[in-house]
Amino acid sequence: MKGPWSLGLFEFISFGIKQAWACLFGGVMLALLLLTHFFYPDGAALSRYDFLVLAALALQVLLILSGLETWEEARVILVFHVVGTIMELFKTAHGSWIYPEDSYLRIGAVPLFSGFMYAAVGSYLARVWRIFEFRFDRFPPLWLQGLLAVAIYINFFAHHWLPDIRLGLFAATAVLYLRTVVWFRPDEVHRPMPLLVGFFLVAIFIWFAENLGTFARAWSYPGQEAGWEMVSLSKLGSWYLLMIISFVLVATVHRGRGEAARENHQTPRREPG
């Protein structure tokens, strides 16, 4: 293709296809939530929640066996699954949200499919990192990112008894990543984006997906018992912070594979044509 407009359009389409490919696990899970909400038979021997658990397991196995997901990525997803399930157990016990349907495959009040919703975030970040061949300028020290991720996770629990420090955590993410630029390759050329902008855009899409999930009655927040209403914008901030944890886990895997960015790393950039 020749000409700036045709090349730009082709690159935009390529970007969309790659994003959809990176969202494969999360997209399928979201589709299953909606389809089972509308079409799952009442009184079925297998509950809807249990069906979602088995479907998520089958999808995960299929991705690994087909090579669409690496074992390194699967390990990150497993860790995030465990991290998410622990938080689910705590939050449901404190009435932050509920799962209104019955099931057998659950721990306490938490059906096991919920952990796969957190794993979908980890799956997306792991896949998008690989598919777009991420490179970074001024990548913060991984140990410092790890401390931030730990502080974020602790605050999700501690704010029930101690002052909520999420505003300070937002400020910390801004300070830590303000100068960081991610270079991603939608087609032939690596393109730059401030990493903070990327975090915010992903958080918006997760918040949108959560609205669809609550619409499908997969879980409900206080105030949604009588009928669906849009998820509070405060959850957008929660997903932004939770995504930082997933990002740090994925970055740790890439460091172990020798692919982490270094301070002032210069990314090769090819010009089109």
Side-chain angles (χ1 to χ4, degrees):
M1 301 183 69
K2 297 181 180 180
W5 287 102
S6 58
L7 286 171
L9 178 61
F10 184 83
E11 186 170 355
F12 179 76
I13 293 173
S14 176
F15 174 83
I17 291 173
K18 285 188 173 184
Q19 283 287 350
W21 194 239
C23 293
L24 179 62
F25 185 87
V28 172
M29 286 300 300
L30 189 59
L32 285 172
L33 292 182
L34 291 169
L35 289 172
T36 54
H37 172 62
F38 288 112
F39 302 113
Y40 202 75
D42 294 332
L46 183 68
S47 74
R48 177 195 178 203
Y49 284 173
D50 289 342
F51 169 80
L52 289 170
V53 174
L54 298 178
L57 282 171
L59 176 60
Q60 189 70 77
V61 171
L62 181 62
L63 288 175
I64 293 174
L65 293 180
S66 64
L68 297 178
E69 195 168 84
T70 67
W71 280 106
E72 290 86 354
E73 292 167 353
R75 282 195 287 269
V76 171
I77 293 166
L78 175 62
V79 171
F80 206 54
H81 191 293
V82 173
V83 167
T85 300
I86 292 172
M87 192 168 70
E88 285 279 328
L89 290 167
F90 180 86
K91 289 292 189 178
T92 53
H94 285 76
S96 297
W97 55 82
I98 62 170
Y99 291 91
E101 300 179 23
D102 294 327
S103 64
Y104 289 106
L105 301 177
R106 62 169 55 222
I107 302 175
V110 180
L112 296 183
F113 86 86
S114 65
F116 287 100
M117 305 311 297
Y118 290 90
V121 179
S123 175
Y124 167 76
L125 287 176
R127 288 166 61 81
V128 78
W129 194 308
R130 172 166 53 90
I131 292 171
F132 283 92
E133 301 175 15
F134 279 3
R135 305 290 185 268
F136 298 89
D137 287 338
R138 297 175 293 278
F139 196 72
L142 199 54
W143 67 268
L144 198 55
Q145 297 184 61
L147 289 178
L148 176 61
V150 170
I152 289 171
Y153 192 62
I154 291 175
N155 186 65
F156 277 120
F157 299 87
H159 81 84
H160 287 275
W161 304 287
L162 301 174
D164 191 347
I165 62 169
R166 73 175 59 198
L167 292 179
L169 294 171
F170 289 141
T173 63
V175 171
L176 188 61
Y177 295 109
L178 183 62
R179 299 175 63 246
T180 304
V181 175
V182 56
W183 291 82
F184 60 98
R185 190 169 74 88
D187 184 34
E188 294 291 331
V189 184
H190 273 86
R191 303 294 186 184
M193 175 187 291
L195 187 56
L196 284 174
V197 173
F199 286 159
F200 180 69
L201 292 175
V202 174
I204 288 176
F205 278 101
I206 296 174
W207 177 79
F208 177 75
E210 187 176 34
N211 274 282
L212 292 178
T214 55
F215 174 78
R217 299 293 292 171
W219 62 92
S220 296
Y221 288 107
Q224 293 181 325
E225 299 89 351
W228 180 81
E229 62 181 37
M230 186 170 290
V231 176
S232 168
L233 281 173
S234 65
K235 299 299 180 183
L236 176 61
S238 298
W239 278 113
Y240 172 87
L241 292 174
L242 197 64
M243 187 182 53
I244 300 293
I245 300 174
S246 185
F247 178 83
V248 174
L249 288 172
V250 175
T252 302
V253 168
H254 282 268
R255 182 184 182 185
R257 294 168 58 187
E259 298 176 9
R262 296 189 296 272
E263 183 74 15
N264 297 320
H265 173 72
Q266 294 299 314
T267 302
R269 293 138 194 163
R270 283 200 298 156
E271 295 299 327

Tab-separated table of all heavy atoms in Angstrom, residues 27-83:
chain	number	residue	atom	x	y	z
A	27	GLY	N	-12.434	-11.591	25.816
A	27	GLY	CA	-13.568	-11.427	24.921
A	27	GLY	C	-14.478	-12.645	24.927
A	27	GLY	O	-15.708	-12.518	24.935
A	28	VAL	N	-13.867	-13.827	24.920
A	28	VAL	CA	-14.675	-15.057	24.950
A	28	VAL	C	-15.414	-15.172	26.277
A	28	VAL	O	-16.594	-15.529	26.321
A	28	VAL	CB	-13.785	-16.285	24.705
A	28	VAL	CG1	-14.575	-17.574	24.933
A	28	VAL	CG2	-13.225	-16.269	23.293
A	29	MET	N	-14.739	-14.849	27.374
A	29	MET	CA	-15.390	-14.920	28.674
A	29	MET	C	-16.560	-13.940	28.759
A	29	MET	O	-17.639	-14.285	29.270
A	29	MET	CB	-14.380	-14.615	29.785
A	29	MET	CG	-13.395	-15.738	30.070
A	29	MET	SD	-14.194	-17.278	30.592
A	29	MET	CE	-15.044	-16.760	32.088
A	30	LEU	N	-16.362	-12.740	28.248
A	30	LEU	CA	-17.442	-11.755	28.279
A	30	LEU	C	-18.615	-12.212	27.415
A	30	LEU	O	-19.786	-12.053	27.798
A	30	LEU	CB	-16.915	-10.404	27.800
A	30	LEU	CG	-17.841	-9.200	27.970
A	30	LEU	CD1	-18.212	-9.002	29.429
A	30	LEU	CD2	-17.184	-7.945	27.413
A	31	ALA	N	-18.312	-12.787	26.258
A	31	ALA	CA	-19.373	-13.315	25.397
A	31	ALA	C	-20.140	-14.438	26.095
A	31	ALA	O	-21.374	-14.522	26.005
A	31	ALA	CB	-18.771	-13.819	24.085
A	32	LEU	N	-19.420	-15.294	26.836
A	32	LEU	CA	-20.080	-16.374	27.559
A	32	LEU	C	-20.991	-15.825	28.664
A	32	LEU	O	-22.086	-16.362	28.896
A	32	LEU	CB	-19.032	-17.316	28.173
A	32	LEU	CG	-18.321	-18.250	27.195
A	32	LEU	CD1	-17.175	-18.976	27.877
A	32	LEU	CD2	-19.297	-19.260	26.601
A	33	LEU	N	-20.560	-14.770	29.340
A	33	LEU	CA	-21.403	-14.165	30.367
A	33	LEU	C	-22.724	-13.686	29.767
A	33	LEU	O	-23.806	-13.923	30.324
A	33	LEU	CB	-20.685	-12.996	31.034
A	33	LEU	CG	-19.460	-13.308	31.895
A	33	LEU	CD1	-18.915	-12.026	32.502
A	33	LEU	CD2	-19.782	-14.308	32.986
A	34	LEU	N	-22.626	-13.000	28.634
A	34	LEU	CA	-23.827	-12.455	28.004
A	34	LEU	C	-24.713	-13.558	27.431
A	34	LEU	O	-25.942	-13.540	27.598
A	34	LEU	CB	-23.430	-11.467	26.913
A	34	LEU	CG	-22.786	-10.160	27.404
A	34	LEU	CD1	-22.192	-9.389	26.238
A	34	LEU	CD2	-23.809	-9.304	28.138
A	35	LEU	N	-24.111	-14.525	26.737
A	35	LEU	CA	-24.895	-15.591	26.121
A	35	LEU	C	-25.607	-16.441	27.162
A	35	LEU	O	-26.785	-16.809	26.992
A	35	LEU	CB	-23.991	-16.460	25.246
A	35	LEU	CG	-23.483	-15.812	23.946
A	35	LEU	CD1	-22.451	-16.702	23.281
A	35	LEU	CD2	-24.652	-15.541	22.992
A	36	THR	N	-24.906	-16.764	28.260
A	36	THR	CA	-25.551	-17.584	29.287
A	36	THR	C	-26.620	-16.790	30.033
A	36	THR	O	-27.594	-17.365	30.538
A	36	THR	CB	-24.516	-18.118	30.288
A	36	THR	OG1	-23.754	-17.021	30.838
A	36	THR	CG2	-23.571	-19.100	29.606
A	37	HIS	N	-26.443	-15.475	30.115
A	37	HIS	CA	-27.474	-14.644	30.751
A	37	HIS	C	-28.789	-14.722	29.973
A	37	HIS	O	-29.874	-14.819	30.574
A	37	HIS	CB	-26.989	-13.204	30.836
A	37	HIS	CG	-28.042	-12.230	31.297
A	37	HIS	ND1	-28.629	-12.305	32.543
A	37	HIS	CD2	-28.625	-11.176	30.666
A	37	HIS	CE1	-29.508	-11.326	32.675
A	37	HIS	NE2	-29.535	-10.635	31.551
A	38	PHE	N	-28.697	-14.699	28.667
A	38	PHE	CA	-29.904	-14.671	27.847
A	38	PHE	C	-30.430	-16.066	27.507
A	38	PHE	O	-31.650	-16.257	27.371
A	38	PHE	CB	-29.644	-13.900	26.547
A	38	PHE	CG	-29.508	-12.419	26.742
A	38	PHE	CD1	-28.291	-11.795	26.547
A	38	PHE	CD2	-30.593	-11.650	27.119
A	38	PHE	CE1	-28.153	-10.423	26.722
A	38	PHE	CE2	-30.477	-10.276	27.298
A	38	PHE	CZ	-29.248	-9.663	27.096
A	39	PHE	N	-29.533	-17.036	27.357
A	39	PHE	CA	-29.959	-18.314	26.767
A	39	PHE	C	-29.738	-19.543	27.647
A	39	PHE	O	-30.158	-20.636	27.260
A	39	PHE	CB	-29.220	-18.532	25.433
A	39	PHE	CG	-29.448	-17.435	24.433
A	39	PHE	CD1	-28.409	-16.599	24.045
A	39	PHE	CD2	-30.705	-17.218	23.887
A	39	PHE	CE1	-28.614	-15.580	23.121
A	39	PHE	CE2	-30.917	-16.209	22.968
A	39	PHE	CZ	-29.871	-15.387	22.586
A	40	TYR	N	-29.074	-19.396	28.802
A	40	TYR	CA	-28.825	-20.598	29.602
A	40	TYR	C	-30.155	-21.097	30.178
A	40	TYR	O	-30.929	-20.322	30.742
A	40	TYR	CB	-27.833	-20.321	30.728
A	40	TYR	CG	-27.155	-21.568	31.228
A	40	TYR	CD1	-26.156	-22.182	30.474
A	40	TYR	CD2	-27.524	-22.152	32.432
A	40	TYR	CE1	-25.533	-23.332	30.916
A	40	TYR	CE2	-26.905	-23.308	32.883
A	40	TYR	CZ	-25.910	-23.893	32.120
A	40	TYR	OH	-25.300	-25.046	32.554
A	41	PRO	N	-30.447	-22.384	30.045
A	41	PRO	CA	-31.774	-22.895	30.440
A	41	PRO	C	-31.977	-22.865	31.955
A	41	PRO	O	-31.081	-23.216	32.727
A	41	PRO	CB	-31.763	-24.340	29.917
A	41	PRO	CG	-30.318	-24.690	29.785
A	41	PRO	CD	-29.607	-23.427	29.430
A	42	ASP	N	-33.139	-22.434	32.362
A	42	ASP	CA	-33.508	-22.462	33.772
A	42	ASP	C	-33.652	-23.913	34.231
A	42	ASP	O	-34.165	-24.772	33.514
A	42	ASP	CB	-34.833	-21.726	33.990
A	42	ASP	CG	-34.718	-20.244	33.702
A	42	ASP	OD1	-33.601	-19.693	33.863
A	42	ASP	OD2	-35.725	-19.633	33.310
A	43	GLY	N	-33.187	-24.176	35.428
A	43	GLY	CA	-33.333	-25.512	35.985
A	43	GLY	C	-32.386	-26.537	35.401
A	43	GLY	O	-32.602	-27.750	35.578
A	44	ALA	N	-31.344	-26.102	34.706
A	44	ALA	CA	-30.372	-27.045	34.145
A	44	ALA	C	-29.648	-27.777	35.263
A	44	ALA	O	-29.437	-27.234	36.357
A	44	ALA	CB	-29.378	-26.302	33.253
A	45	ALA	N	-29.251	-29.032	35.006
A	45	ALA	CA	-28.550	-29.825	36.020
A	45	ALA	C	-27.228	-29.178	36.414
A	45	ALA	O	-26.803	-29.251	37.576
A	45	ALA	CB	-28.318	-31.238	35.493
A	46	LEU	N	-26.570	-28.555	35.461
A	46	LEU	CA	-25.321	-27.837	35.705
A	46	LEU	C	-25.632	-26.350	35.808
A	46	LEU	O	-26.206	-25.761	34.884
A	46	LEU	CB	-24.329	-28.092	34.563
A	46	LEU	CG	-22.932	-27.469	34.703
A	46	LEU	CD1	-22.163	-28.125	35.844
A	46	LEU	CD2	-22.164	-27.607	33.390
A	47	SER	N	-25.289	-25.746	36.926
A	47	SER	CA	-25.603	-24.334	37.113
A	47	SER	C	-24.825	-23.474	36.122
A	47	SER	O	-23.784	-23.885	35.595
A	47	SER	CB	-25.278	-23.893	38.536
A	47	SER	OG	-23.880	-23.783	38.720
A	48	ARG	N	-25.328	-22.293	35.896
A	48	ARG	CA	-24.675	-21.369	34.965
A	48	ARG	C	-23.245	-21.050	35.402
A	48	ARG	O	-22.322	-21.060	34.586
A	48	ARG	CB	-25.494	-20.079	34.889
A	48	ARG	CG	-24.889	-18.992	34.007
A	48	ARG	CD	-25.556	-17.666	34.274
A	48	ARG	NE	-24.969	-16.598	33.487
A	48	ARG	CZ	-25.034	-15.314	33.818
A	48	ARG	NH1	-25.666	-14.949	34.921
A	48	ARG	NH2	-24.483	-14.396	33.061
A	49	TYR	N	-23.051	-20.775	36.684
A	49	TYR	CA	-21.713	-20.448	37.182
A	49	TYR	C	-20.750	-21.609	36.989
A	49	TYR	O	-19.585	-21.422	36.614
A	49	TYR	CB	-21.778	-20.072	38.660
A	49	TYR	CG	-22.325	-18.692	38.962
A	49	TYR	CD1	-22.564	-18.299	40.271
A	49	TYR	CD2	-22.592	-17.769	37.948
A	49	TYR	CE1	-23.056	-17.033	40.572
A	49	TYR	CE2	-23.084	-16.513	38.229
A	49	TYR	CZ	-23.317	-16.141	39.549
A	49	TYR	OH	-23.792	-14.892	39.839
A	50	ASP	N	-21.217	-22.832	37.271
A	50	ASP	CA	-20.345	-23.997	37.099
A	50	ASP	C	-20.009	-24.219	35.629
A	50	ASP	O	-18.873	-24.608	35.287
A	50	ASP	CB	-21.023	-25.245	37.676
A	50	ASP	CG	-21.087	-25.204	39.197
A	50	ASP	OD1	-20.332	-24.424	39.806
A	50	ASP	OD2	-21.926	-25.926	39.768
A	51	PHE	N	-20.964	-23.973	34.744
A	51	PHE	CA	-20.682	-24.060	33.309
A	51	PHE	C	-19.598	-23.061	32.920
A	51	PHE	O	-18.690	-23.390	32.130
A	51	PHE	CB	-21.955	-23.784	32.515
A	51	PHE	CG	-21.711	-23.601	31.033
A	51	PHE	CD1	-21.538	-24.704	30.207
A	51	PHE	CD2	-21.634	-22.331	30.474
A	51	PHE	CE1	-21.292	-24.543	28.847
A	51	PHE	CE2	-21.396	-22.149	29.123
A	51	PHE	CZ	-21.220	-23.260	28.303
A	52	LEU	N	-19.643	-21.853	33.474
A	52	LEU	CA	-18.639	-20.845	33.154
A	52	LEU	C	-17.252	-21.273	33.631
A	52	LEU	O	-16.245	-21.019	32.954
A	52	LEU	CB	-19.024	-19.510	33.789
A	52	LEU	CG	-20.229	-18.799	33.170
A	52	LEU	CD1	-20.659	-17.616	34.025
A	52	LEU	CD2	-19.915	-18.344	31.743
A	53	VAL	N	-17.186	-21.945	34.780
A	53	VAL	CA	-15.889	-22.450	35.266
A	53	VAL	C	-15.317	-23.461	34.287
A	53	VAL	O	-14.133	-23.382	33.889
A	53	VAL	CB	-16.041	-23.088	36.659
A	53	VAL	CG1	-14.726	-23.734	37.095
A	53	VAL	CG2	-16.471	-22.051	37.683
A	54	LEU	N	-16.119	-24.435	33.881
A	54	LEU	CA	-15.645	-25.483	32.974
A	54	LEU	C	-15.282	-24.901	31.604
A	54	LEU	O	-14.288	-25.319	30.993
A	54	LEU	CB	-16.715	-26.565	32.821
A	54	LEU	CG	-17.090	-27.302	34.116
A	54	LEU	CD1	-18.197	-28.315	33.849
A	54	LEU	CD2	-15.868	-27.975	34.722
A	55	ALA	N	-16.068	-23.943	31.130
A	55	ALA	CA	-15.763	-23.318	29.842
A	55	ALA	C	-14.455	-22.539	29.907
A	55	ALA	O	-13.650	-22.581	28.967
A	55	ALA	CB	-16.911	-22.392	29.436
A	56	ALA	N	-14.217	-21.834	31.011
A	56	ALA	CA	-12.972	-21.076	31.161
A	56	ALA	C	-11.768	-22.004	31.225
A	56	ALA	O	-10.719	-21.732	30.627
A	56	ALA	CB	-13.036	-20.196	32.406
A	57	LEU	N	-11.906	-23.120	31.937
A	57	LEU	CA	-10.811	-24.095	31.995
A	57	LEU	C	-10.511	-24.667	30.612
A	57	LEU	O	-9.338	-24.793	30.219
A	57	LEU	CB	-11.173	-25.223	32.958
A	57	LEU	CG	-11.034	-24.931	34.451
A	57	LEU	CD1	-11.641	-26.062	35.263
A	57	LEU	CD2	-9.569	-24.728	34.821
A	58	ALA	N	-11.551	-25.009	29.872
A	58	ALA	CA	-11.362	-25.551	28.531
A	58	ALA	C	-10.686	-24.535	27.619
A	58	ALA	O	-9.796	-24.888	26.832
A	58	ALA	CB	-12.714	-25.979	27.951
A	59	LEU	N	-11.098	-23.286	27.729
A	59	LEU	CA	-10.493	-22.237	26.908
A	59	LEU	C	-9.026	-22.058	27.252
A	59	LEU	O	-8.180	-21.922	26.354
A	59	LEU	CB	-11.251	-20.928	27.113
A	59	LEU	CG	-10.699	-19.696	26.390
A	59	LEU	CD1	-10.690	-19.913	24.884
A	59	LEU	CD2	-11.515	-18.457	26.754
A	60	GLN	N	-8.696	-22.070	28.539
A	60	GLN	CA	-7.307	-21.907	28.955
A	60	GLN	C	-6.436	-23.047	28.430
A	60	GLN	O	-5.328	-22.826	27.921
A	60	GLN	CB	-7.231	-21.854	30.480
A	60	GLN	CG	-5.870	-21.472	31.024
A	60	GLN	CD	-5.526	-20.036	30.760
A	60	GLN	OE1	-6.011	-19.137	31.415
A	60	GLN	NE2	-4.669	-19.788	29.779
A	61	VAL	N	-6.925	-24.261	28.549
A	61	VAL	CA	-6.172	-25.420	28.042
A	61	VAL	C	-5.988	-25.321	26.537
A	61	VAL	O	-4.900	-25.593	26.003
A	61	VAL	CB	-6.896	-26.725	28.426
A	61	VAL	CG1	-6.253	-27.917	27.711
A	61	VAL	CG2	-6.864	-26.930	29.935
A	62	LEU	N	-7.029	-24.921	25.827
A	62	LEU	CA	-6.953	-24.801	24.375
A	62	LEU	C	-5.917	-23.763	23.952
A	62	LEU	O	-5.154	-23.989	23.008
A	62	LEU	CB	-8.331	-24.428	23.822
A	62	LEU	CG	-8.440	-24.278	22.300
A	62	LEU	CD1	-8.117	-25.599	21.613
A	62	LEU	CD2	-9.833	-23.801	21.910
A	63	LEU	N	-5.860	-22.650	24.651
A	63	LEU	CA	-4.889	-21.597	24.310
A	63	LEU	C	-3.455	-22.095	24.495
A	63	LEU	O	-2.575	-21.812	23.680
A	63	LEU	CB	-5.128	-20.361	25.171
A	63	LEU	CG	-6.368	-19.527	24.854
A	63	LEU	CD1	-6.542	-18.408	25.874
A	63	LEU	CD2	-6.296	-18.946	23.454
A	64	ILE	N	-3.222	-22.859	25.556
A	64	ILE	CA	-1.868	-23.356	25.811
A	64	ILE	C	-1.488	-24.433	24.799
A	64	ILE	O	-0.391	-24.409	24.219
A	64	ILE	CB	-1.770	-23.897	27.248
A	64	ILE	CG1	-1.926	-22.745	28.255
A	64	ILE	CG2	-0.429	-24.605	27.460
A	64	ILE	CD1	-1.981	-23.210	29.694
A	65	LEU	N	-2.390	-25.397	24.562
A	65	LEU	CA	-2.082	-26.488	23.640
A	65	LEU	C	-1.891	-26.004	22.211
A	65	LEU	O	-1.107	-26.568	21.441
A	65	LEU	CB	-3.191	-27.548	23.688
A	65	LEU	CG	-3.325	-28.327	24.997
A	65	LEU	CD1	-4.463	-29.338	24.900
A	65	LEU	CD2	-2.013	-29.035	25.346
A	66	SER	N	-2.609	-24.945	21.844
A	66	SER	CA	-2.494	-24.419	20.485
A	66	SER	C	-1.291	-23.494	20.311
A	66	SER	O	-0.987	-23.086	19.193
A	66	SER	CB	-3.773	-23.654	20.118
A	66	SER	OG	-3.927	-22.510	20.953
A	67	GLY	N	-0.606	-23.170	21.411
A	67	GLY	CA	0.531	-22.266	21.330
A	67	GLY	C	0.159	-20.795	21.276
A	67	GLY	O	1.035	-19.939	21.136
A	68	LEU	N	-1.128	-20.491	21.403
A	68	LEU	CA	-1.551	-19.086	21.395
A	68	LEU	C	-1.195	-18.381	22.695
A	68	LEU	O	-1.211	-17.158	22.765
A	68	LEU	CB	-3.062	-18.996	21.151
A	68	LEU	CG	-3.544	-19.522	19.799
A	68	LEU	CD1	-5.063	-19.429	19.701
A	68	LEU	CD2	-2.904	-18.728	18.661
A	69	GLU	N	-0.896	-19.167	23.719
A	69	GLU	CA	-0.467	-18.622	25.002
A	69	GLU	C	0.739	-19.418	25.465
A	69	GLU	O	0.739	-20.650	25.396
A	69	GLU	CB	-1.610	-18.730	26.013
A	69	GLU	CG	-1.438	-17.899	27.254
A	69	GLU	CD	-2.750	-17.859	28.019
A	69	GLU	OE1	-3.004	-18.795	28.787
A	69	GLU	OE2	-3.524	-16.891	27.831
A	70	THR	N	1.772	-18.723	25.905
A	70	THR	CA	2.987	-19.408	26.346
A	70	THR	C	2.832	-19.849	27.796
A	70	THR	O	1.983	-19.359	28.535
A	70	THR	CB	4.209	-18.488	26.219
A	70	THR	OG1	4.083	-17.409	27.169
A	70	THR	CG2	4.311	-17.902	24.814
A	71	TRP	N	3.701	-20.777	28.208
A	71	TRP	CA	3.653	-21.243	29.591
A	71	TRP	C	4.028	-20.123	30.552
A	71	TRP	O	3.520	-20.064	31.674
A	71	TRP	CB	4.581	-22.436	29.778
A	71	TRP	CG	3.972	-23.726	29.298
A	71	TRP	CD1	4.271	-24.419	28.173
A	71	TRP	CD2	2.935	-24.466	29.959
A	71	TRP	NE1	3.482	-25.541	28.070
A	71	TRP	CE2	2.663	-25.607	29.153
A	71	TRP	CE3	2.213	-24.291	31.139
A	71	TRP	CZ2	1.703	-26.543	29.508
A	71	TRP	CZ3	1.259	-25.237	31.488
A	71	TRP	CH2	1.008	-26.340	30.680
A	72	GLU	N	4.949	-19.228	30.135
A	72	GLU	CA	5.291	-18.092	30.987
A	72	GLU	C	4.074	-17.206	31.226
A	72	GLU	O	3.814	-16.764	32.351
A	72	GLU	CB	6.421	-17.267	30.356
A	72	GLU	CG	7.773	-17.947	30.338
A	72	GLU	CD	7.952	-18.840	29.118
A	72	GLU	OE1	6.964	-19.005	28.349
A	72	GLU	OE2	9.051	-19.375	28.931
A	73	GLU	N	3.316	-16.958	30.156
A	73	GLU	CA	2.103	-16.162	30.286
A	73	GLU	C	1.074	-16.877	31.152
A	73	GLU	O	0.379	-16.258	31.964
A	73	GLU	CB	1.533	-15.867	28.904
A	73	GLU	CG	2.402	-14.928	28.071
A	73	GLU	CD	2.008	-14.893	26.609
A	73	GLU	OE1	1.154	-15.692	26.196
A	73	GLU	OE2	2.579	-14.067	25.874
A	74	ALA	N	0.977	-18.193	30.993
A	74	ALA	CA	0.020	-18.967	31.795
A	74	ALA	C	0.350	-18.885	33.273
A	74	ALA	O	-0.555	-18.827	34.122
A	74	ALA	CB	0.007	-20.423	31.325
A	75	ARG	N	1.638	-18.861	33.608
A	75	ARG	CA	2.020	-18.763	35.018
A	75	ARG	C	1.607	-17.414	35.600
A	75	ARG	O	1.132	-17.331	36.741
A	75	ARG	CB	3.520	-18.988	35.177
A	75	ARG	CG	3.918	-20.458	35.102
A	75	ARG	CD	5.321	-20.667	35.618
A	75	ARG	NE	6.320	-20.162	34.687
A	75	ARG	CZ	6.881	-20.890	33.723
A	75	ARG	NH1	6.500	-22.149	33.551
A	75	ARG	NH2	7.797	-20.378	32.941
A	76	VAL	N	1.798	-16.341	34.811
A	76	VAL	CA	1.362	-15.022	35.274
A	76	VAL	C	-0.143	-15.012	35.494
A	76	VAL	O	-0.650	-14.495	36.500
A	76	VAL	CB	1.754	-13.938	34.247
A	76	VAL	CG1	1.123	-12.601	34.618
A	76	VAL	CG2	3.265	-13.789	34.176
A	77	ILE	N	-0.866	-15.601	34.557
A	77	ILE	CA	-2.324	-15.627	34.644
A	77	ILE	C	-2.765	-16.418	35.878
A	77	ILE	O	-3.702	-16.025	36.586
A	77	ILE	CB	-2.915	-16.221	33.358
A	77	ILE	CG1	-2.652	-15.272	32.189
A	77	ILE	CG2	-4.400	-16.496	33.502
A	77	ILE	CD1	-2.882	-15.898	30.831
A	78	LEU	N	-2.069	-17.528	36.170
A	78	LEU	CA	-2.398	-18.326	37.349
A	78	LEU	C	-2.179	-17.517	38.621
A	78	LEU	O	-3.025	-17.537	39.536
A	78	LEU	CB	-1.549	-19.595	37.373
A	78	LEU	CG	-1.719	-20.475	38.623
A	78	LEU	CD1	-3.153	-20.967	38.736
A	78	LEU	CD2	-0.745	-21.656	38.579
A	79	VAL	N	-1.055	-16.793	38.687
A	79	VAL	CA	-0.792	-15.962	39.869
A	79	VAL	C	-1.880	-14.908	40.032
A	79	VAL	O	-2.391	-14.679	41.134
A	79	VAL	CB	0.596	-15.306	39.761
A	79	VAL	CG1	0.792	-14.278	40.872
A	79	VAL	CG2	1.694	-16.357	39.830
A	80	PHE	N	-2.251	-14.263	38.927
A	80	PHE	CA	-3.269	-13.233	39.008
A	80	PHE	C	-4.632	-13.841	39.354
A	80	PHE	O	-5.451	-13.200	40.036
A	80	PHE	CB	-3.342	-12.485	37.680
A	80	PHE	CG	-3.856	-11.083	37.811
A	80	PHE	CD1	-3.263	-10.199	38.695
A	80	PHE	CD2	-4.934	-10.636	37.066
A	80	PHE	CE1	-3.716	-8.903	38.824
A	80	PHE	CE2	-5.404	-9.342	37.190
A	80	PHE	CZ	-4.800	-8.477	38.067
A	81	HIS	N	-4.881	-15.061	38.908
A	81	HIS	CA	-6.100	-15.776	39.271
A	81	HIS	C	-6.159	-15.954	40.787
A	81	HIS	O	-7.199	-15.692	41.417
A	81	HIS	CB	-6.110	-17.133	38.564
A	81	HIS	CG	-7.410	-17.864	38.635
A	81	HIS	ND1	-7.920	-18.351	39.816
A	81	HIS	CD2	-8.304	-18.214	37.676
A	81	HIS	CE1	-9.064	-18.955	39.594
A	81	HIS	NE2	-9.322	-18.884	38.309
A	82	VAL	N	-5.059	-16.391	41.382
A	82	VAL	CA	-5.010	-16.598	42.832
A	82	VAL	C	-5.146	-15.274	43.575
A	82	VAL	O	-5.913	-15.161	44.543
A	82	VAL	CB	-3.695	-17.312	43.224
A	82	VAL	CG1	-3.554	-17.387	44.741
A	82	VAL	CG2	-3.636	-18.707	42.617
A	83	VAL	N	-4.406	-14.262	43.109
A	83	VAL	CA	-4.477	-12.936	43.731
A	83	VAL	C	-5.912	-12.406	43.696
A	83	VAL	O	-6.425	-11.869	44.693
A	83	VAL	CB	-3.519	-11.960	43.013
A	83	VAL	CG1	-3.805	-10.518	43.407
A	83	VAL	CG2	-2.062	-12.307	43.326
